[in-house]
Amino acid sequence: MSKRDEFIENAKDMLDNLNTEADELEEKIQQAQGDTKAKYEEQMAAMRQHRQASQDYINSLKQAGEDKWQELTNQAEHTWKVFQDSVNYFKSRL
């Protein structure tokens, strides 16, 4: 497996794990009431945006040529870190 394929595979695994955690958080939000639920739903919307951005980078990495590869990996790593931070922050608030 090439370094590129390995990076993409690891990224997909990490995203799958974060998606599982995000899904569990969404289930907990459904049990919240009133203002608390509204506040959590706003935070969840932001987390969904980070999730989508992470998935978009994986798709871009799959299609990128060698000239764009390094630039995209740096951006992708940052995006995944932001998604991971949003999941962890959200977990700490529940």
Side-chain angles (χ1 to χ4, degrees), residues 1-9 66 69:
M1 180 178 284
S2 73
K3 184 176 180 178
R4 178 182 178 153
D5 291 339
E6 186 177 329
F7 182 89
I8 291 171
E9 192 62 35
E66 289 300 319
W69 171 248

Side-chain angles (χ1 to χ4, degrees), residues 51-86:
R51 175 191 291 190
Q52 186 59 52
S54 296
Q55 183 62 54
D56 291 346
Y57 269 110
I58 289 175
N59 294 336
S60 295
L61 287 168
K62 289 178 186 177
Q63 299 171 4
E66 289 300 319
D67 57 326
K68 287 284 193 179
W69 171 248
Q70 188 60 47
E71 178 184 340
L72 284 173
T73 58
N74 293 336
Q75 293 171 352
E77 287 172 341
H78 173 73
T79 301
W80 297 322
K81 175 73 172 133
V82 170
F83 180 35
Q84 183 176 30
D85 289 347
S86 69

Side-chain angles (χ1 to χ4, degrees), residues 11 14-15 17 19 26 28 44 46-47 55 64 75-76 80:
M14 185 177 74
L15 185 58
N17 290 334
N19 281 332
E26 285 194 69
K28 288 181 181 181
M44 198 71 210
M47 193 168 58
Q55 183 62 54
Q75 293 171 352
W80 297 322

Side-chain angles (χ1 to χ4, degrees), residues 36-53:
T36 302
K37 185 174 183 174
K39 180 178 136 186
Y40 287 154
E41 285 176 346
E42 286 177 28
Q43 293 173 348
M44 198 71 210
M47 193 168 58
R48 283 186 200 108
Q49 289 177 339
H50 297 306
R51 175 191 291 190
Q52 186 59 52

